[in-house]
Amino acid sequence: MPPRLRLTNGRISQSFRRQRPVCQFELSIVARSASTAATATTPAPSMEQMTRSAAPIARYPPSQPPSHRNPEYRRSQLLRQYTSLIRTTPLMVLFQHDNLQSVEWAAIRRELSKAMHKVDEQIAAEGRTAAPLAPHIKVQIVQTSIFEVALRIVEYFRPSEATVASGKPPRAVDPVTQTSAEIPLSGSRDDPALSHDLSRAAHDAVLHMKGKHELSSLLVGPIAVLSIPQVSPEHLKAAMTILAPKAIGFPAPTRKANPDWHGLSVQNGLQKLSVLAARVDGQVFDVDQTKWVGSIEGGMDGLRSQLVMALQSMGSSVTNALEGAGKSLYFTLESRRNVLEEEQKGPEAGDKNES
């Protein structure tokens, strides 16, 4: 094997020669000049700085307070995501899916997006000032156990009640030192003053409610959630027409109007979907109630107009009932007065007739 280093005339090249060692006298001169420059530019520390204790090192980053659940785990991040989804989504529909393939999910989401955009265009064509909801309407697969915990936290956990039960008032935490003005937290993740979704207070508050939520019995097996950021019956009807027209009872799209919906990938995916229930403004609705919400004509504006008409008809019926009672009482009193007058005039009128 040839040598790896090139040799010139039997010697190592100039770059590999040993450098000259630095003597002790040169090192002392360099150290003396560095200390002179440091004392000339940096003033000596004061007595207060020397006696004051150093600031505590932040154990947690400013954006992440101490947590009972480790925030680095995927389960913790999913819990935070699900609690945010439940709080910001007043209309949710739960589906049970049976091993849908990625091609089927992509086809179903494509048809759902097309239907939602059509509803937004129809609302805009009618002249109603409503924000488009199509970009925010999604159907996603959820982890059932974590989603059930998120439901219990949103429904049953109240941070103010948790702090009162612990006997300690809530305290403002300094994001830099993780300490409060009253008592230092010492970086404790089990501090009862912490009330975020990953805290020990939230965990203890909903632990005894495990399995007692109305949707707990349905969160078994593979579950997908359709989330709509507003209670829009029109969008719900269009979504149910795409996802479950037979179960809800809405007419399915015709092949001429929407040929892609009748494709093989979409139909195979829809056969594996089944509607379980819906959550509307915190209330659990079954399939029939979900169909009623989707069948409201005119959306929320139509529902408000129906409510106004119902209140007006109720007021008019109450007014008619009160007026009828007053009129009947008036006629009864008038008839009674006439009878009494005739009874008083009866004997005198008979005597005059005999004379």
Side-chain angles (χ1 to χ4, degrees):
M1 178 181 293
R4 297 184 179 181
L5 298 177
R6 294 183 179 181
L7 302 178
T8 304
N9 298 328
R11 297 180 180 180
I12 302 177
S13 62
Q14 188 71 17
S15 60
F16 291 96
R17 289 182 179 179
R18 187 176 60 182
Q19 298 181 357
R20 182 177 61 86
V22 181
C23 62
Q24 187 69 21
F25 179 72
E26 293 178 354
L27 291 175
S28 62
I29 292 175
V30 172
R32 188 181 305 171
S33 62
S35 62
T36 304
T39 55
T41 57
T42 305
S46 62
M47 184 61 66
E48 182 182 358
Q49 293 178 353
M50 295 176 64
T51 57
R52 185 175 57 186
S53 61
I57 300 176
R59 185 177 178 181
Y60 299 91
S63 59
Q64 178 61 55
S67 303
H68 174 68
R69 302 173 186 268
N70 194 341
E72 297 178 358
Y73 293 162
R74 182 173 179 269
R75 293 174 61 88
S76 302
Q77 296 300 325
L78 285 177
L79 179 62
R80 297 176 63 181
Q81 177 184 350
Y82 292 160
T83 52
S84 176
L85 177 67
I86 295 170
R87 288 191 180 101
T88 58
T89 306
L91 180 55
M92 303 173 63
V93 183
L94 275 67
F95 296 87
Q96 188 174 16
H97 65 92
D98 185 13
N99 297 327
L100 270 77
Q101 300 179 2
S102 59
V103 179
E104 298 170 350
W105 273 120
I108 291 174
R109 290 189 175 102
R110 182 193 67 234
E111 296 301 318
L112 179 64
S113 178
K114 289 168 55 178
M116 297 300 100
H117 280 91
K118 288 182 180 179
V119 175
D120 289 338
E121 294 174 358
Q122 181 181 359
I123 293 175
E126 294 176 357
R128 288 187 284 172
T129 58
L133 301 180
H136 309 288
I137 298 176
K138 299 178 182 179
V139 55
Q140 58 182 337
I141 301 174
V142 297
Q143 296 288 339
T144 54
S145 58
I146 307 176
F147 192 79
E148 196 267 341
V149 176
L151 278 173
R152 285 189 279 128
I153 290 177
V154 174
E155 293 288 346
Y156 306 126
F157 178 56
R158 299 295 179 267
S160 59
E161 298 177 2
T163 54
V164 171
S166 64
K168 297 182 180 180
R171 295 172 291 172
V173 180
D174 188 359
V176 177
T177 62
Q178 294 295 323
T179 57
S180 64
E182 300 177 359
I183 303 174
L185 292 179
S186 302
S188 176
R189 62 183 181 179
D190 296 335
D191 194 325
L194 300 175
S195 58
H196 53 87
D197 293 339
L198 301 181
S199 63
R200 181 61 179 269
H203 175 269
D204 294 342
V206 301
L207 183 61
H208 67 284
M209 300 297 295
K210 184 177 181 180
K212 296 182 180 180
H213 194 272
E214 293 179 292
L215 292 175
S216 298
S217 59
L218 300 178
L219 296 177
V220 179
I223 300 296
V225 175
L226 170 67
S227 58
I228 302 177
Q230 291 182 7
V231 181
S232 176
E234 297 171 333
H235 289 85
L236 177 61
K237 180 178 180 180
M240 291 296 101
T241 302
I242 296 297
L243 299 177
K246 294 182 180 179
I248 299 297
F250 293 146
T254 61
R255 187 178 295 273
K256 183 178 180 181
N258 192 357
D260 296 335
W261 185 81
H262 294 271
L264 185 61
S265 57
V266 176
Q267 293 301 316
N268 289 339
L270 295 181
Q271 291 178 0
K272 303 175 184 178
L273 279 179
S274 58
V275 185
L276 297 179
R279 183 178 182 271
V280 183
D281 280 338
Q283 302 293 329
V284 178
F285 284 15
D286 57 6
V287 177
D288 295 335
Q289 293 173 335
T290 305
K291 179 181 178 181
W292 172 79
V293 173
S295 61
I296 297 175
E297 297 295 336
M300 293 302 296
D301 295 335
L303 183 61
R304 294 188 186 97
S305 62
Q306 294 179 10
L307 179 60
V308 171
M309 292 178 60
L311 292 176
Q312 290 178 351
S313 62
M314 184 182 301
S316 60
S317 62
V318 171
T319 303
N320 294 331
L322 295 176
E323 289 180 353
K327 289 179 180 179
S328 62
L329 180 60
Y330 172 75
F331 290 138
T332 302
L333 293 176
E334 284 294 325
S335 61
R336 182 59 178 170
R337 185 173 64 85
N338 295 332
V339 170
L340 293 176
E341 290 179 353
E342 292 178 358
E343 290 179 354
Q344 292 177 0
K345 295 179 181 179
E348 298 179 357
D351 295 339
K352 291 181 181 178
N353 292 331
E354 289 178 359
S355 60

